[in-house]
């Protein structure tokens, strides 16, 4: 029941690296700014002196002009760790197009990881299938390549644990983080768990959808088997698998940035516009 995205050899590994690195280079986000104030290098503002402020920080020019003591404040560079929550469940492997939802998710995860590293934001990974897979945040490019290669191997019978993993993962985070979820959201517990997660952490959801999940054109009643549980069921070819409007509404209402990627459509311009318009990766400097 195991699968492999591609045959792993030095040539293909290099091609995969070039592909995800090119994706990272294509994502232009602007200049990072930090709202944290402290002993940084870039001057931010002057403010009135408060008892206990260091004398060496006095802004003598403003003080001389106003006759009152003012202190210089500087921007302190501070990076949030970025966690990529990658859905490795069976529903991500089913595909009616050239590339499966999982293949696109892994490709995009690699590009986002390299983009974060270029902004000096450490990147960690958490698998949200049945396989226990967790990589702690690091600034190592070699580590990114290692988990990309490891995640190429997958199973066709993994169940979704997105909701459960998110609920268990959130309390383990000691500090605020940027969480990017890459999943098809085929877990009824996922959205409630993500809504709770977003109350503490910056949360982004990149959802993947195969054309067959919208409807099977020309198909009537059919018998099928659920990929993750093995349960047999009867359905209609035009039945939608998810209540997409409700998912969109719930995520938007919770302030979660949400992007739906169709596996049969070009995604890079859409992804670039999504991240640049919301300045998402620049949150790593907050």
């Amino acid at each position: 029941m195991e699968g492999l995205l591609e045959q792993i050899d030095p040539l293909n590994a290099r091609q995969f690296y070039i592909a995800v690195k090119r994706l990272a280079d294509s994502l232009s986000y602007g200049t990072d700014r930090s709202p944290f104030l402290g002993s940084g290098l870039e001057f931010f503002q002057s403010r009135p002196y408060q008892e206990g402020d260091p004398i060496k920080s006095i802004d003598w020019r403003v003080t001389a002009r106003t006759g009152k003591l003012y202190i210089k404040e500087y921007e302190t560079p501070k990076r949030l760790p970025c966690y990529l929550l990658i859905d490795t469940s069976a529903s991500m492997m089913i595909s009616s197009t050239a590339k499966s939802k999982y293949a696109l998710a892994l490709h995009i995860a690699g590009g986002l990881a390299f983009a974060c590293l270029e902004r000096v934001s450490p990147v960690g990974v958490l698998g949200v299938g049945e396989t226990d897979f967790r990589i702690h945040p690091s600034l190592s490019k070699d580590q990114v390549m290692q988990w990309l290669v490891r995640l190429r191997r997958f199973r066709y019978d993994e169940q979704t644990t997105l909701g459960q993993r998110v609920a268990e993962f959130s309390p383990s985070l000691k500090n605020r983080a940027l969480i990017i979820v890459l999943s098809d959201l085929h877990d009824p517990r996922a959205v409630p768990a993500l809504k709770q997660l977003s109350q503490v952490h910056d949360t982004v959801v990149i959802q993947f959808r195969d054309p067959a999940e919208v409807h099977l054109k020309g198909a009537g009643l059919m018998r099928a088997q659920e990929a993750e549980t093995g349960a047999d069921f009867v359905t209609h070819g035009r039945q939608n698998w998810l209540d997409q409007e409700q998912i969109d509404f719930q995520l938007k209402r919770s302030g979660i940035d949400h992007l739906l990627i169709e596996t049969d459509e070009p995604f890079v311009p859409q992804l670039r516009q999504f991240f640049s318009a919301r300045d998402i990766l620049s949150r790593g400097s907050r």
Side-chain angles (χ1 to χ4, degrees), residues 29-43:
Y29 307 105
T31 305
D32 289 349
R33 305 284 294 184
S34 172
F36 284 81
L37 304 177
S39 57
L41 298 177
E42 186 176 351
F43 174 75

Side-chain angles (χ1 to χ4, degrees), residues 34-77:
S34 172
F36 284 81
L37 304 177
S39 57
L41 298 177
E42 186 176 351
F43 174 75
F44 180 70
Q45 67 180 6
S46 293
R47 62 164 176 81
Y49 176 86
Q50 298 177 359
E51 185 176 353
D53 287 334
I55 297 178
K56 64 179 181 179
S57 298
I58 292 177
D59 189 335
W60 292 108
R61 289 187 178 181
V62 177
T63 298
R65 187 169 65 250
T66 62
K68 297 180 180 180
L69 288 175
Y70 274 77
I71 295 293
K72 289 182 178 179
E73 285 188 328
Y74 297 86
E75 284 190 334
T76 299

Side-chain angles (χ1 to χ4, degrees), residues 106-122:
L106 192 57
H107 178 58
I108 291 175
L112 292 176
F114 284 120
C116 286
L117 294 185
E118 290 185 357
R119 294 176 175 275
V120 201
S121 293

Side-chain angles (χ1 to χ4, degrees), residues 24 27-31 112 115 119 271-272 275-276 279-282:
L27 304 177
S28 302
Y29 307 105
T31 305
L112 292 176
R119 294 176 175 275
L271 188 68
R272 182 171 57 243
F275 274 84
S276 61
D279 207 24
I280 288 173
L281 288 194
S282 292

Side-chain angles (χ1 to χ4, degrees), residues 72-86:
K72 289 182 178 179
E73 285 188 328
Y74 297 86
E75 284 190 334
T76 299
K78 182 168 182 172
R79 302 285 172 174
L80 292 178
C82 175
Y83 285 91
L84 300 171
L85 274 56
I86 304 175

